[in-house]
Amino acid sequence: AQSVTQLDSQVPVFEEAPVELRCNYSSSVSVYLFWYVQYPNQGLQLLLKYLSGSTLVKGINGFEAEFNKSQTSFHLRKPSVHISDTAEYFCAVRPNNDYKLSFGAGTTVTVRA
Amino acid sequence: SAVISQKPSRDICQRGTSLTIQCQVDSQVTMMFWYRQQPGQSLTLIATANQGSEATYESGFVIDKFPISRPNLTFSTLTVSNMSPEDSSIYLCTSGQIGETQYFGPGTRLLVL
């Protein structure tokens, strides 16, 4: 079985400041890793994913994440946030031989001017 | 990536009634999934729907409460039966196969009074 821990439930940040959202996972098998974003009153949108290859992956809206296998982490970063980045962010994992996604509890990012 | 639409986008229902949610994918897919997101919570997989076979339910979810249909490779329905206020959630469908990224529909926001 897989589990996902998002270490921060709420992250307040000022506009144009950097942000990092932490995600750790546990799994007995190799996994694929995802970050999804949920804007207020909307569904889930894929931000980025790690399937294989380079451990640094770039996604939409200037976000990037780094897969660290030894630390079983997949932290999400953005060097300069905008008000429009205010949203709920979910880290998710899926075994590479299965289709079931396991989600973290989510991190609420609130960007203030 | 598959484009997923859901109907209705939101509804307010009385306890004891049932609501059927429709999910349409713009391409043929083998597997479709239904998730629930309770208020302030993360996503939980309800069941997996394969065309031509019974849905597979996750622990804590039963067919009598959440009957699912999968009449063809582009469509599925989830019924929330005999609703109570605890069923107030966002219900999301997605599609995908092993090795593929799952993209989510916009979700159905359900409020049970």
Side-chain angles (χ1 to χ4, degrees):
Chain A
Q2 292 69 46
S3 68
V4 182
T5 303
Q6 291 184 241
L7 297 162
D8 309 291
S9 60
Q10 308 235 6
V11 174
V13 58
F14 286 106
E15 193 174 20
E16 298 183 7
V19 70
E20 178 180 78
L21 308 184
R22 295 177 293 170
C23 173
N24 286 92
Y25 70 93
S26 67
S27 176
S28 56
V29 300
S30 296
V31 296
Y32 297 143
L33 297 138
F34 306 86
W35 277 98
Y36 288 88
V37 60
Q38 186 175 37
Y39 297 105
N41 297 311
Q42 295 188 29
L44 259 67
Q45 180 179 357
L46 180 69
L47 263 182
L48 48 77
K49 60 186 177 185
Y50 173 78
L51 304 181
S52 65
S54 172
T55 57
L56 182 63
V57 292
K58 296 188 183 298
I60 61 172
N61 300 339
F63 283 93
E64 64 180 32
E66 186 155 21
F67 169 54
N68 187 318
K69 188 174 183 179
S70 62
Q71 297 187 4
T72 60
S73 68
F74 190 54
H75 300 334
L76 180 72
R77 302 183 184 94
K78 184 169 182 177
S80 176
V81 296
H82 303 290
I83 299 287
S84 59
D85 292 320
T86 294
E88 186 86 13
Y89 292 80
F90 293 97
C91 181
V93 302
R94 193 184 80 214
N96 62 6
N97 61 352
D98 200 348
Y99 49 81
K100 295 183 183 179
L101 278 168
S102 298
F103 285 86
T107 298
T108 302
V109 172
T110 304
V111 182
R112 299 168 180 161
Chain B
S1 61
V3 176
I4 299 174
S5 58
Q6 283 184 235
K7 289 182 183 179
S9 59
R10 60 179 67 239
D11 208 341
I12 301 174
C13 300
Q14 297 297 318
R15 70 171 65 211
T17 63
S18 297
L19 176 71
T20 296
I21 302 168
Q22 300 178 8
C23 179
Q24 180 78 49
V25 187
D26 69 343
S27 58
Q28 293 185 340
V29 293
T30 305
M31 308 177 84
M32 295 179 73
F33 309 93
W34 288 97
Y35 286 82
R36 180 177 73 181
Q37 185 182 19
Q38 294 178 297
Q41 304 294 317
S42 187
L43 283 78
T44 302
L45 181 63
I46 297 172
T48 304
N50 293 330
Q51 195 266 338
S53 64
E54 292 274 340
T56 303
Y57 289 83
E58 298 299 304
S59 176
F61 298 96
V62 295
I63 187 172
D64 289 346
K65 177 66 176 177
F66 297 101
I68 287 171
S69 78
R70 183 78 201 275
N72 58 51
L73 290 174
T74 64
F75 188 78
S76 177
T77 67
L78 170 77
T79 299
V80 186
S81 303
N82 189 23
M83 288 184 285
S84 66
E86 291 70 38
D87 294 318
S88 297
S89 297
I90 303 173
Y91 293 85
L92 301 105
C93 76
T94 182
S95 68
Q97 305 182 87
I98 293 176
E100 291 186 358
T101 300
Q102 291 182 20
Y103 295 91
F104 285 81
T108 295
R109 284 162 172 73
L110 171 62
L111 176 63
V112 183
L113 302 177

